[in-house]
């Protein structure tokens, strides 16, 4: 499926759990992005039936999980462009950063998947994706330095949209 989609000209492959050498080479050649969504499969496999998946889908997610690490390492080896994505409740968003770092990205690279890389994939890098004059930026403040410890993304101190703080560390809406 990955190879057929890349040959057809898609911009990105989501999940990519079964990415093989031929597929990675093709994606590298074509400049196809990977949006790995690592954490959702890991979480579903870990929580089992509580995930809400039927038994067949749960078993499939557990089987596929066996290939995830090798596929992601292959993507890194082939210098695939990686953007952030999440097939899960937004409450689990910080887990995707941690999963990417555990799988081989640096904390800075993981953060870039959600900022500059995501903007580039969407064709919006002239408008969003980095803190620069003239660009639109909704930002979060976290407790700690996520470039040193990606787990800092777990503790959001404030959320700012259009220059206004919407929510602070006390959960207070502004």
């Amino acid at each position: 499926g990955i190879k057929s989609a890349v040959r057809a000209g898609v911009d990105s492959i989501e999940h990519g759990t079964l990415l093989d050498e031929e597929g990675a080479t093709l994606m590298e050649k074509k400049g196809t992005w990977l949006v790995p969504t690592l954490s959702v499969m890991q979480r579903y496999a870990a929580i089992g039936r509580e995930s809400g998946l039927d038994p067949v889908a749960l078993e499939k997610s557990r089987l596929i999980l066996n290939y995830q690490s090798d596929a992601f390492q292959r993507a890194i080896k082939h210098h695939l462009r990686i953007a952030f994505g999440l097939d899960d409740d937004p409450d689990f968003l910080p887990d995707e950063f941690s999963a990417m770092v555990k799988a081989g990205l640096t904390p800075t690279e993981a953060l870039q998947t959600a900022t500059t890389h995501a903007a580039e994939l969407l064709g919006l890098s002239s408008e969003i994706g980095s803190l620069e004059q003239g660009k639109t930026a909704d930002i979060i403040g976290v407790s700690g330095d996520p470039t040193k410890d990606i787990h800092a993304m777990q503790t959001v101190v404030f959320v700012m949209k259009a220059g206004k703080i919407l929510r602070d560390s006390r959960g207070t809406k502004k």
Side-chain angles (χ1 to χ4, degrees):
I2 291 171
K3 291 174 257 191
S4 294
V6 172
R7 285 185 192 107
V10 298
D11 293 326
S12 66
I13 295 293
E14 276 56 41
H15 310 297
T17 308
L18 299 177
L19 180 66
D20 63 14
E21 190 66 31
E22 182 185 357
T25 299
L26 188 59
M27 286 178 71
E28 181 179 21
K29 179 182 174 189
K30 298 269 190 177
T32 308
W33 287 85
L34 175 65
V35 181
T37 63
L38 299 173
S39 64
V40 68
M41 201 73 70
Q42 295 168 5
R43 190 170 79 76
Y44 282 176
I47 64 175
R49 290 189 179 162
E50 293 175 39
S51 68
L53 294 177
D54 66 73
V56 173
L58 181 57
E59 183 58 28
K60 179 183 173 187
S61 71
R62 287 182 171 153
L63 272 170
I64 288 174
L65 193 57
N66 293 321
Y67 301 97
Q68 189 182 66
S69 179
D70 289 343
F72 194 73
Q73 289 304 307
R74 207 169 281 117
I76 292 170
K77 180 182 111 185
H78 282 271
H79 309 286
L80 298 188
R81 299 182 302 168
I82 299 172
F84 192 94
L86 185 71
D87 273 0
D88 210 344
D89 186 301
D91 289 344
F92 299 108
L93 189 140
D95 296 342
E96 186 66 13
F97 288 111
S98 298
M100 283 199 233
V101 170
K102 184 177 178 186
L105 295 185
T106 67
T108 298
E109 289 168 336
L111 293 167
Q112 289 170 332
T113 68
T115 55
T116 56
H117 294 188
E120 187 178 343
L121 170 57
L122 295 171
L124 297 172
S125 55
S126 65
E127 302 169 40
I128 62 171
S130 59
L131 296 175
E132 296 177 54
Q133 187 172 352
K135 288 188 174 183
T136 301
D138 299 335
I139 63 172
I140 62 167
V142 297
S143 180
D145 182 352
T147 65
K148 305 242 185 310
D149 178 9
I150 200 64
H151 294 97
M153 295 300 289
Q154 297 280 348
T155 310
V156 175
V157 178
F158 71 86
V159 176
M160 182 182 286
K161 182 175 177 73
K164 295 186 173 135
I165 294 178
L166 298 180
R167 191 173 290 269
D168 62 23
S169 61
R170 295 179 305 269
T172 307
K173 289 184 180 180
K174 302 287 180 168

